[in-house]
Amino acid sequence: MKTATLLMLCLSAAAWAERPELSASFGFASELMTSSQYDLVSADDPLRMYRVAAAGTFAAPRGHVDVELGWRSGAASATAHGTLSSSLWVRGVDVSAGYRFAWLKHLEPYARAGVGLDWASLSLTGSSALEQTVLHPSGTFLGGLQFPFALGVGAPGGLAFVVDLGVGYVVRPAYTFDALAPPPPSGRQEDPIARGAVNLGSMPLSGFTWRLGVTVRL
Amino acid sequence: MRRLLPLLVLAACGTRGSLYTSPLKPLPLVATQGALVQVVPQTNRAVVVTGTTPYTQTVTLSSGARAAVAVPGTDTVAVLTGAPKAPTLDLVDVAGLSATVLETPGFFDTVTFSPDGRFGLLTYVAAARGGQLVARNLNEVGLLDTASLSLRRLQLDTESLAPRSVVFGPVEGARRLVAVTLERGVAVLDALHPEVPTRRISVRPQGSTGDTPVLEAVFSRDAHWLFLRVSGQDDVVAVELGSEVGAPVSASVNFVAGGRGLADIETAPEGTDDAVLAVYASSKEAFLLDARGIQDNHRRLSLTDVAAHVARMTGTTVLLWNEGSRTVTAWDVKDGRSGVVALDGVASAPLVVPALDKALFPLPQVSSSAGTGPALATVSLTDDTNRVRLHLQGVQLAQAFAASAYDAQGQRLFFSVAGSSTVVSMDLRTLQLVELALDATPQRLFYLPGTDLVAADHGALLGDVTFAPAGTSDRAGALRLSDFALSGDLQRPEDAR
């Protein structure tokens, strides 16, 4: 997928000389975590995330290439074992490239691939508070439809409002939470007692995803 | 698109299994030589915390863990596991982080180990019922040999329900007797020859038509005698055991009379093997009873106050006391010398240290010139020409004595007082005190001889323990581990799902 994206970027090399069309987007994504381990932090399967991104669009044969830089954040929480408050925060940055073409006036299918870096923070609060943050790379593969609506009376390619609906898959290595420990005490503490860590195990965080977003093309 | 959306919505809902909604109910902490072990039946894990590493380790167990017992003197924990129709015993090697699974002949409720850890006897508890089982044969026991890792079913063949207690006899050359006390009588078996049928011994006082429940059993030093204290009887039941090996042991029952209100019996000191110590609360007497009932051989001490407990000290001296009274008596059963001391307050259960000829009595309330409050009284025995002298020393406590642990090798007592997060180390030879302030109140204390650490259990459901080097006041060497019962919670064995 990455190779295909690079190929598309090369094919549109001529377009790079032109000023890219810029866009900003905001969207909601739901990643479906079907592993039993995810039940520790959620009563259902989705990991709900919000995402903001900025993109540059370049002309390509029969369509456009979007190069996007995004930031996403989401969380799930639940009560575990009847006594613990458990929560999982996932935050990440990603860079993606996608190809889209105009099929109808208001319909642009697209395919997109991206790589990112995600931080997952697991915290358990019972008689004490334990937490651990683990960092891993991620990959996202999406296909979907964009519904552009021109704003104003300018020529095509001017200011536009776009509704984006995509489905795909997010790949992450399993996150190993092997050292959940209380957070370090705030402030200076006299003669503190060292705290040990708990090895909880691994939580798979890959799964199908769908996105719904809005984009403003400048 | 219209078809895809409902699918996505449905997929987004998902359901939550019961894996993380059911409460974790860990079994009580078990201390081995160098670690604390917490068995979590819901995750099929034995969580090992040592205090020497800042993280937890786990051993995967068979499902259905319901009781855990440390094998004395080892780093092994025996865990009763399995289902009622497929019961098992997991022997967890804490040092090697592995488990050996043995099939057990019954869905037993508990296991009692010999003091040397060589044998374990798996028994039922009548009140425990049996899960889904419709019927249980409470007269069967399982004999575990930890040396050969063999487990054998034995049939006690008595009229009683489940055993009340298990007492292992002393180590002999060719046999190792085990007494199983019952609602009706006692059964004796040879752990080294489990193929030999069990000897059932009825305890039926003269004129009685039924057997009497056994309350306490002690072997003599040479396993020639088994002494029983039975319900409603002032006589000590002396069972003379034959020396058979490879055949059911012969038993001759004799009732030995002493005083009135038999409260406690104890193995007689060295050199008096054909005798048993007995203390009588009603008649305020202590006896060294001749096992054959020869009155002339009895030795008797008349007490100034009620005593209900007796313990051997060094040599031929014994200590007598009663929880709830102030008087402590020492008696040399050989030469008849004795001595008495009055505590400053009412005694509660003491820690007796025979090797040092000392006993420590927590006193909930004492009145002295320093005011009223709890104290810890140390009674030390010293020899005088005409009597046994009891030397009394007191340690003032801020609050009532709470948890304690004992280091037999180093002769140290570790204790805490109610409502305080401090653990006190007391050198029993010098009575020197060292205090270590922790961050939470200990509910129980453990001493781990393998690593010379004291572990304070703060009593949290999912585990909260502070380890500290024994006898130090320095917090720098301490380590606290919390919520460690959650270890491996994300790595459930397949059969737990």
Side-chain angles (χ1 to χ4, degrees), chain B residues 316-357:
Chain B
T316 52
T317 311
V318 299
L319 197 71
L320 303 127
W321 73 92
N322 183 37
E323 289 162 28
S325 69
R326 293 167 178 257
T327 307
V328 179
T329 305
W331 178 34
D332 189 322
V333 298
K334 191 174 181 183
D335 57 24
R337 290 178 305 149
S338 65
V340 176
V341 71
L343 302 173
D344 292 329
V346 171
S348 50
L351 169 72
V352 181
V353 189
L356 294 180
D357 264 342

Side-chain angles (χ1 to χ4, degrees), chain B residues 173-459:
Chain B
R175 69 176 187 178
R176 184 77 186 272
L177 297 182
V178 185
V180 183
T181 68
L182 300 152
E183 185 73 23
R184 298 174 185 173
V186 62
V188 177
L189 58 97
D190 181 358
L192 287 175
H193 297 89
E195 71 282 359
V196 175
T198 302
R199 169 63 69 191
R200 176 192 156 193
I201 303 165
S202 294
V203 180
R204 194 166 297 170
Q206 204 167 17
S208 171
T209 54
D211 286 352
T212 307
V214 177
L215 302 177
E216 187 180 1
V218 297
F219 278 97
S220 63
R221 291 169 172 278
D222 57 1
H224 183 61
W225 298 93
L226 174 66
F227 300 104
L228 307 175
R229 180 166 66 90
V230 299
S231 178
Q233 286 288 315
D234 284 339
D235 292 353
V236 174
V237 181
V239 182
E240 186 170 11
L241 301 169
S243 56
E244 297 89 347
V245 174
V249 65
S250 59
S252 168
V253 179
N254 190 21
F255 288 78
V256 182
R260 285 178 290 108
L262 180 62
D264 193 13
I265 58 174
E266 177 62 81
T267 304
E270 209 165 345
T272 54
D273 284 339
D274 291 335
V276 62
L277 285 163
V279 59
Y280 296 85
S282 300
S283 58
K284 297 182 187 174
E285 291 171 297
F287 276 88
L288 181 71
L289 294 172
D290 182 86
R292 294 186 175 85
I294 301 169
Q295 295 285 325
D296 289 347
N297 292 345
H298 289 349
R299 293 172 199 174
R300 174 181 170 275
L301 176 70
S302 183
L303 302 168
T304 57
D305 199 358
V306 173
H309 300 282
V310 58
R312 278 179 288 122
M313 307 302 271
T314 56
T316 52
T317 311
V318 299
L319 197 71
L320 303 127
W321 73 92
N322 183 37
E323 289 162 28
S325 69
R326 293 167 178 257
T327 307
V328 179
T329 305
W331 178 34
D332 189 322
V333 298
K334 191 174 181 183
D335 57 24
R337 290 178 305 149
S338 65
V340 176
V341 71
L343 302 173
D344 292 329
V346 171
S348 50
L351 169 72
V352 181
V353 189
L356 294 180
D357 264 342
K358 277 189 195 322
L360 291 100
F361 291 86
L363 307 176
Q365 192 79 0
V366 298
S367 296
S368 68
S369 57
T372 59
L376 184 63
T378 307
V379 176
S380 308
L381 274 58
T382 52
D383 264 341
D384 261 4
T385 310
N386 298 324
R387 61 179 179 141
V388 180
R389 185 181 172 85
L390 290 93
H391 185 54
L392 186 62
Q393 290 170 288
V395 173
Q396 189 180 35
L397 302 178
Q399 294 293 334
F401 189 85
S404 68
Y406 173 54
D407 168 19
Q409 189 74 27
Q411 302 296 355
R412 290 176 295 183
L413 176 71
F414 309 97
F415 66 90
S416 64
V417 299
S420 168
S421 60
T422 297
V423 174
V424 182
S425 302
M426 177 193 267
D427 187 320
L428 295 177
R429 295 183 185 91
T430 63
L431 300 191
Q432 186 178 7
L433 302 170
V434 177
E435 293 194 358
L436 171 65
L438 304 180
D439 290 339
T441 306
Q443 302 293 320
R444 286 196 302 163
L445 291 174
F446 302 92
Y447 174 69
L448 307 178
T451 51
D452 195 31
L453 293 175
V454 175
D457 173 16
H458 302 302

Side-chain angles (χ1 to χ4, degrees), chain A residues 88-162:
Chain A
L88 178 76
W89 273 94
V90 178
R91 301 174 183 85
V93 292
D94 63 85
V95 178
S96 63
Y99 175 79
R100 65 181 160 83
F101 63 95
W103 188 18
L104 299 173
K105 183 182 178 185
H106 293 296
L107 185 60
E108 296 180 354
Y110 70 85
R112 179 176 297 156
V115 293
L117 209 54
D118 287 348
W119 294 261
S121 299
L122 178 64
S123 67
L124 300 169
T125 306
S127 61
S128 63
L130 303 175
E131 63 179 38
Q132 185 182 6
T133 299
V134 179
L135 177 68
H136 275 312
S138 65
T140 306
F141 306 94
L142 281 174
L145 299 170
Q146 291 192 347
F147 305 92
F149 299 94
L151 296 175
V153 292
L159 190 63
F161 174 79
V162 181

Side-chain angles (χ1 to χ4, degrees), chain A residues 30 32 36-46 48 78-84 86 122 124-130 145 165 167 175 177-178 182 189-203 209-210, chain B residues 1 4-5 8-9 11-24 43 54-56 58 437-439 460-464 466-467 473-476 478-492 497:
Chain A
S30 181
L32 307 179
S36 60
Q37 288 90 336
Y38 186 70
D39 290 352
L40 177 69
V41 293
S42 180
D44 52 19
D45 286 346
R48 297 168 184 86
T79 298
H81 301 304
T83 55
L84 291 168
S86 60
L122 178 64
L124 300 169
T125 306
S127 61
S128 63
L130 303 175
L145 299 170
L165 183 64
V167 294
Y175 278 64
F177 296 102
D178 58 356
Q189 194 185 22
E190 286 284 321
D191 204 7
I193 287 179
R195 301 299 299 256
V198 174
N199 181 354
L200 218 65
S202 299
M203 182 185 289
T209 182
W210 63 267
Chain B
M1 195 66 204
L4 190 59
L5 268 176
L8 284 171
V9 171
C13 292
T15 54
R16 191 184 196 192
S18 61
L19 210 57
Y20 299 107
T21 56
S22 56
L24 293 182
T43 60
Y55 49 85
T56 58
T58 56
L438 304 180
D439 290 339
L461 174 68
L462 299 178
D464 188 2
T466 303
F467 294 89
S473 62
D474 186 6
R475 287 163 54 97
L479 174 69
R480 185 175 179 187
L481 289 132
S482 303
D483 292 325
F484 48 80
L486 293 166
S487 296
D489 202 18
L490 290 174
Q491 300 297 118
R492 303 286 185 103
R497 293 188 178 170

Side-chain angles (χ1 to χ4, degrees), chain B residues 5-94:
Chain B
L5 268 176
L7 283 174
L8 284 171
V9 171
L10 282 173
C13 292
T15 54
R16 191 184 196 192
S18 61
L19 210 57
Y20 299 107
T21 56
S22 56
L24 293 182
K25 295 176 181 172
L27 302 181
L29 277 172
V30 172
T32 67
Q33 292 291 291
L36 293 184
V37 179
Q38 183 141 52
V39 172
V40 188
Q42 292 73 27
T43 60
N44 294 351
R45 301 281 172 164
V47 182
V48 179
V49 284
T50 62
T52 56
T53 51
Y55 49 85
T56 58
Q57 296 168 302
T58 56
V59 178
T60 303
L61 301 174
S62 307
S63 60
R66 57 192 186 280
V69 179
V71 181
T74 69
D75 261 330
T76 304
V77 173
V79 186
L80 289 167
T81 53
K85 289 174 183 172
T88 47
L89 176 77
D90 285 32
L91 288 173
V92 180
D93 177 1
V94 172

